[in-house]
Amino acid sequence: MRVKIVGSAAGGGFPQWNCNFRLSRAARTGMPGLRSRTQSSIAVSADGTGWVLFNASPDIRQQIAQAPELQPAADAPLRSTPIRAVVLTNADVDHVAGLLSLRERQPFAMYATAQVLATLEANSIFNVLDPAVVPRRLLAPTKEMAICGADGHPTGVIVGSFPVPGKVALYLEQRGDPAADFSSDTGDTIGVRISETGDRAAVFYVPGCARIDAALRARLAGAACLLFDGTVYTDDEMITAGVGEKTGARMGHVPMSGEAGSIAGLTDVKISRRIFIHINNTNPVLDENSAEHAAVKAAGWEIASDGMELEL
Ligand code: MLT
Ligand code: MN
C-alpha cells in the first residue's frame, strides 16, 4: 500500500494568504528550514494505479499538479482520473472545498458519515457533483468498508472509521451555544484506519482530534503508522502569536505538547511510526531549526511535509 501526503498544513495552508506572523513571513522569503505546505489531504493506493483521496482540500488543483500519480495516465481516455474515491473525515472547509474543483462530470465515489453527507446535501453548491455521476456513500461507523470506485469496482483500500472527540465545522457552529458546538463525539469528526485487502498493517489518519482518551489509545494500539492532528504545539499558541483569540481546544484540536497533549497521551501506546499532520501556520515546529521541532523529533515523532511518501 502506498500512502502519499498530499497536503500537510491545517486550514489556510502555510504560508496562509493573509498571515503576517513570523513563520508565514519567513516561509514567503524562502528561509531555509521552513517548507511551504498545502492544506490537509492524503492519497492511498493499493494497486499503484487507482487512488483513494482522504479529504479534498481547497488546494487540490495544485496538489494534483504536483503529483503525477493523481493525473490522467497517458493512455487513459480523454477525460479520466486515477482518483477512484474521496473519503471525508469531517465537513471542514479545508477538507471539502476541493470537491468543487472535481466537477466536470467525472465519475468517482464519495464516502462520508451521515452528518457530513447531510451537510453536503444542505449546501446546494455541492450539486456540481451530480450524485448520478459521483455517488455519495455512507461511511458506516466502526465497520470496515471496501472502498469502491463509482463503477462499484473495489480499489483494494479498506477503511474502518471511528468517531473521535471533535466538533462541528466552524460554519455550522451555533454561535453562543457552546454546548451545541461541542456536542459532537459521534461522527462530525472521524478518524480512519486504512489498510489493503488481505493485509493487517494499517495506517491511521486522524487530522482532527480534540483530546486523547482511553478509547482512542486502545484503537491506535498496534498501528503500523499514525498520521495525527498536529495543528498546534501549545493550546494558547494563536493567542500568544497575536493572530487570534481561539485556543486549540476551542478549535477542536489537542496540542502536541503538555500533560494533556498528544505526545504525552500516546507515549506508551505501541505505534511503529508516528507523524504529525494538519499543521497550523502558528505552530513553531514548522521551523526545522526550532527547539520545538527538535523536541517533537526527540519524542519519536516526525513532521509531515507535502509529497512525503510511506510504503506499508
Ligand atoms: C479546523 O481544522 O479547525 C478547521 O479546518 C478550521 C477552519 O475551518 O478553518
Ligand atoms: Mn482543518
Side-chain angles (χ1 to χ4, degrees), residues 3-11 13 37-44 51-61 63-64 67 70 83 85-89 93-99 102 194 205-207 227 276-279 304-308:
V3 179
K4 180 147 183 145
I5 311 296
V6 172
S8 54
R37 287 166 162 88
T38 61
Q39 294 168 75
S40 189
S41 176
I42 67 168
V44 178
W51 289 82
V52 179
L53 206 57
F54 290 79
N55 294 322
S57 101
D59 300 322
I60 195 164
R61 184 179 170 280
Q63 292 169 333
I64 291 173
L70 300 180
I83 299 169
V86 177
V87 177
L88 304 171
T89 63
V93 170
D94 56 348
H95 290 161
V96 302
L99 291 171
L102 298 180
I194 310 166
Y205 175 51
V206 188
L227 298 166
F276 281 121
I277 199 164
H278 190 281
I279 302 158
S305 56
D306 290 17
M308 189 173 168

Side-chain angles (χ1 to χ4, degrees), residues 77-311:
L78 284 172
R79 291 277 201 239
S80 81
T81 176
I83 299 169
R84 305 258 182 275
V86 177
V87 177
L88 304 171
T89 63
N90 62 23
D92 283 1
V93 170
D94 56 348
H95 290 161
V96 302
L99 291 171
L100 302 176
S101 298
L102 298 180
R103 64 194 186 280
E104 313 297 352
R105 298 193 66 78
Q106 180 66 51
F108 64 92
M110 198 196 302
Y111 290 81
T113 63
Q115 286 95 321
V116 173
L117 289 178
T119 300
L120 299 179
E121 183 79 31
N123 284 275
S124 54
I125 193 168
F126 290 103
N127 291 340
V128 294
L129 297 176
D130 181 351
V133 178
V134 180
R136 300 178 185 189
R137 300 182 182 144
L138 179 67
L139 207 50
T142 72
K143 274 204 209 122
E144 295 247 295
M145 281 186 81
I147 302 299
C148 298
D151 57 5
H153 279 99
T155 60
V157 175
I158 312 287
V159 169
S161 60
F162 50 92
V164 292
K167 66 179 229 1
V168 295
L170 196 54
Y171 61 88
L172 295 174
E173 286 188 4
Q174 296 168 36
R175 286 163 215 273
D177 184 1
D181 298 344
F182 285 92
S183 61
S184 147
D185 267 18
T186 53
D188 288 309
T189 302
I190 58 165
V192 284
R193 177 189 190 279
I194 310 166
S195 58
E196 64 183 317
T197 316
D199 194 351
R200 295 217 310 269
V203 54
F204 284 78
Y205 175 51
V206 188
C209 184
R211 57 183 178 275
I212 311 292
D213 59 16
L216 181 68
R217 287 160 48 86
R219 200 174 286 279
L220 298 179
C225 182
L226 169 64
L227 298 166
F228 194 75
D229 184 341
T231 310
V232 290
Y233 187 74
T234 44
D235 189 49
D236 63 354
E237 136 190 331
M238 284 183 49
I239 300 166
T240 309
V243 301
E245 285 163 9
K246 285 187 180 171
T247 58
R250 176 64 188 84
M251 297 187 296
H253 298 292
V254 61
M256 296 175 172
S257 67
E259 257 172 55
S262 50
I263 294 175
L266 295 172
T267 191
D268 58 352
V269 181
K270 190 176 171 293
I271 300 165
S272 303
R273 194 169 173 189
R274 45 192 88 200
I275 304 172
F276 281 121
I277 199 164
H278 190 281
I279 302 158
N280 195 50
N281 48 69
T282 51
N283 192 324
V285 305
L286 286 167
D287 179 356
E288 288 164 24
N289 297 313
S290 66
E292 293 86 352
H293 188 95
V296 166
K297 297 286 284 266
W301 285 78
E302 297 169 62
I303 317 274
S305 56
D306 290 17
M308 189 173 168
E309 287 201 36
L310 322 167
E311 188 84 46

